[in-house]
């Protein structure tokens, strides 16, 4: 019985500051010193062999590099290739590259200009995460996929046009783009649509993204069924939201709320015909008013939770920094995770005897809170309950708490 052994022709080499591998006649740059300073030009070839690839992590954390010139024959740039190159200001991606991989320019927070060539079909997850100086980027007509969080925290990005070719946009692709006022879509696109700068799927049945810097009131169109988690996260200029009768789900999962950090939001209204949600004085409840879901962050002064409420949901009052008191009525049984986190104007609070469960981080960052009285029927207190409560001096704990 015979055996066939296959050997890849792989050789490691060093040329100047470059470490590389040679395989099948092509060179991949694998490493460059992270203390290198200034501009660098990657050669077209080493010893007659073309440079076709920048390997994973090759220039990772080269914090003092200001520019990188890439060879025209380059076809591949690996994940995290330039991650953490914080002084890199400009880069031109060569014409044969077809994909920008995950985290390629992660935290390149000095990057102000990127040229993406025709032929690139995908932009990976976190590809431009926290490129905080990037103000504008032109997406090529070949692009089909923008992965989740691709432009997350590009805080100076103020406008964006989605090409006709794009068929997939991942969750949170444009999260925390605080200066983004409008997302436009080329009219020939059959997968997505822009209405007054707001991104929808083509038939307007799904709301994809509401730009963070778009001011004023937003009336969610009839036919939308789901408000995804993080949908309005950090929408700092949004003042009022109107939810239509068609909405059946408002996202709040894994620490993300649909209306988190909307600091100017003063009212959430719901169409009377909605069978799943309701609004009382601009505060969001479930349909039968037994669960309080979200109090707008702009709410100020005293707030009395209406009788009949049995559950305060996760993040219900999170970041309501202008509330000075919250009255919890008898009958409330459960208080969700981070329900009052960031209520920095709250000075004291009492949970009635009916409360038997509280989630994690319930009062975290309530920095003016001095006194808390917990229901004697609570038996478990999760992590972070009073984290960063800097003025807390008095807590009445139930006897059987663990």
């Amino acid at each position: 019985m015979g055996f066939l052994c296959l050997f890849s022709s792989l050789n490691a080499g060093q040329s100047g500051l470059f470490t590389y591998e040679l395989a099948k006649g092509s060179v991949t740059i694998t490493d460059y010193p992270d203390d290198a300073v200034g501009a660098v030009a990657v050669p077209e070839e080493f010893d007659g062999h073309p440079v076709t690839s920048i390997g994973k992590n090759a220039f990772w954390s080269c914090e003092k590099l200001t520019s990188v010139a890439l060879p025209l024959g380059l076809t591949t740039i690996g994940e995290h290739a330039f991650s953490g190159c914080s002084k890199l200001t400009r880069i031109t991606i060569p014409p044969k590259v077809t994909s920008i991989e995950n985290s390629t320019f992660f935290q390149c927070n000095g990057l102000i200009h990127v040229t993406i060539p025709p032929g690139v079909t995908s932009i990976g997850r976190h590809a431009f995460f926290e490129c905080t100086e990037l103000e504008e980027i032109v997406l090529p007509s070949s692009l089909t996929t923008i992965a989740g969080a691709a432009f997350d925290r590009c805080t100076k990005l103020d406008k964006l046009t989605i090409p006709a070719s794009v068929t997939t946009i991942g969750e949170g692709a444009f999260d925390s783009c605080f200066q983004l006022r409008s997302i436009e879509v080329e009219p020939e696109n059959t997968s997505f649509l822009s209405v007054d700068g707001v991104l929808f799927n083509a038939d307007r049945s799904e709301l994809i993204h509401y730009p963070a810097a778009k001011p004023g009131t937003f009336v969610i169109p009839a036919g939308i069924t789901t408000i995804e988690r993080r949908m309005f996260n950090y929408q700092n200029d949004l003042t009022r939201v109107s939810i239509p009768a068609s909405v059946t789900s408002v996202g709040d999962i894994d620490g993300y709320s649909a209306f988190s950090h909307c600091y100017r939001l003063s009212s959430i209204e719901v169409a009377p015909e909605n069978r799943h949600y309701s609004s009382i004085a601009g505060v969001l409840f479930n349909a039968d008013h037994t669960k309080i879901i979200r109090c707008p962050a702009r709410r100020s002064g005293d707030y009395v939770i209406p009788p009949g409420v049995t559950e305060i949901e996760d993040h219900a009052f999170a970041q309501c920094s202008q509330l000075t008191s919250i009255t919890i009525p008898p009958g409330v049984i459960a208080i969700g995770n981070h329900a009052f986190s960031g209520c920095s104007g709250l000075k004291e609070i009492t949970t009635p005897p009916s409360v038997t469960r509280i989630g994690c981080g319930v009062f975290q960052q309530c920095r003016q809170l001095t006194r808390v009285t917990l229901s004697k029927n609570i038996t478990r207190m999760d992590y972070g309950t009073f984290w960063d409560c800097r003025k807390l001096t008095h807590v009445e704990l139930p006897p059987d708490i663990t």
Side-chain angles (χ1 to χ4, degrees):
M1 183 177 182
F3 295 91
L4 178 63
C5 296
L6 299 177
F7 296 94
S8 63
S9 176
L10 181 65
N11 295 298
Q14 187 81 30
S15 179
L17 297 178
F18 294 98
T19 301
Y20 65 90
E21 288 179 352
L22 175 62
K24 297 181 179 179
S26 295
V27 170
T28 296
I29 304 297
T30 58
D31 192 40
Y32 196 77
D34 59 13
D35 58 354
V37 177
V40 60
V42 179
E44 292 286 342
E45 59 180 44
F46 286 120
D47 295 329
H49 301 289
V51 175
T52 59
S53 178
I54 304 295
K56 182 177 180 179
N57 302 322
F59 290 88
W60 184 81
S61 201
C62 290
E63 297 178 353
K64 297 178 182 179
L65 286 185
T66 56
S67 70
V68 178
L70 299 174
L72 291 175
L74 199 71
T75 60
T76 305
I77 302 175
E79 294 184 2
H80 288 279
F82 298 100
S83 179
C85 293
S86 56
K87 286 187 169 58
L88 186 65
T89 58
R90 307 176 73 86
I91 196 161
T92 297
I93 298 171
K96 293 183 180 180
V97 172
T98 59
S99 176
I100 299 174
E101 300 294 336
N102 297 342
S103 303
T104 297
F105 299 102
F106 185 95
Q107 290 184 327
C108 288
N109 43 40
L111 194 63
I112 59 173
H113 183 80
V114 178
T115 300
I116 302 177
V120 167
T121 59
S122 65
I123 296 176
R125 184 170 182 82
H126 292 132
F128 295 97
F129 178 88
E130 215 170 277
C131 291
T132 53
E133 293 297 314
L134 192 63
E135 295 182 9
E136 184 178 1
I137 192 162
V138 177
L139 302 177
S141 58
S142 54
L143 190 67
T144 62
T145 301
I146 302 172
F151 296 95
D152 191 357
R153 303 189 194 182
C154 290
T155 54
K156 287 190 177 180
L157 191 65
D158 63 1
K159 59 184 177 181
L160 195 69
T161 299
I162 307 296
S165 53
V166 171
T167 58
T168 302
I169 298 176
E171 183 183 20
F174 313 111
D175 270 7
S176 302
C177 294
F178 298 138
Q179 295 188 34
L180 188 62
R181 292 185 172 273
S182 176
I183 300 174
E184 302 301 326
V185 178
E186 290 183 348
E188 298 82 10
N189 191 301
T190 58
S191 300
F192 299 101
L193 178 73
S194 176
V195 180
D196 194 26
V198 180
L199 185 62
F200 295 85
N201 67 342
D203 63 5
R204 302 194 198 187
S205 63
E206 184 180 354
L207 174 59
I208 307 296
H209 190 81
Y210 186 90
K214 186 175 175 61
T217 296
F218 181 53
V219 179
I220 298 173
I224 298 293
T225 59
T226 301
I227 300 173
E228 298 286 356
R229 63 175 185 164
R230 305 193 299 188
M231 178 53 62
F232 297 101
N233 218 3
Y234 289 102
Q235 314 301 319
N236 294 327
D237 294 313
L238 184 67
T239 57
R240 185 172 68 89
V241 172
S242 181
I243 297 174
S246 54
V247 168
T248 60
S249 174
V250 176
D252 190 334
I253 189 170
D254 296 339
Y256 294 101
S257 168
F259 300 102
S260 284
H261 306 282
C262 295
Y263 295 114
R264 294 179 183 170
L265 185 63
S266 60
S267 180
I268 304 170
E269 300 170 6
V270 180
E273 302 81 10
N274 192 299
R275 297 181 180 181
H276 299 270
Y277 298 98
S278 63
S279 178
I280 301 175
V283 178
L284 183 64
F285 293 80
N286 67 341
D288 63 5
H289 305 154
T290 58
K291 296 179 180 180
I292 184 166
I293 297 170
R294 184 67 199 184
C295 179
R298 190 76 172 188
R299 191 86 182 209
S300 62
D302 304 334
Y303 183 73
V304 179
I305 297 174
V309 170
T310 60
E311 186 173 342
I312 300 170
E313 295 235 314
D314 295 355
H315 309 97
F317 292 90
Q319 298 97 38
C320 289
S321 60
Q322 298 182 53
L323 285 178
T324 53
S325 76
I326 299 171
T327 302
I328 304 174
V332 170
I333 297 170
I335 300 175
N337 298 332
H338 304 281
F340 303 105
S341 67
C343 290
S344 55
L346 197 62
K347 294 181 179 178
E348 60 179 75
I349 196 164
T350 298
T351 63
S354 55
V355 174
T356 59
R357 302 191 310 274
I358 62 171
C360 66
V362 171
F363 302 108
Q364 73 174 30
Q365 293 185 312
C366 292
R367 291 172 179 166
Q368 298 298 318
L369 195 63
T370 59
R371 184 182 183 92
V372 176
T373 302
L374 295 178
S375 163
K376 64 181 180 181
N377 294 310
I378 295 172
T379 58
R380 177 183 171 85
M381 192 162 60
D382 259 319
Y383 63 90
T385 301
F386 301 110
W387 181 77
D388 205 22
C389 293
R390 302 175 184 182
K391 294 188 177 181
L392 189 61
T393 58
H394 183 89
V395 180
E396 291 187 26
L397 295 173
D400 300 323
I401 197 79
T402 58

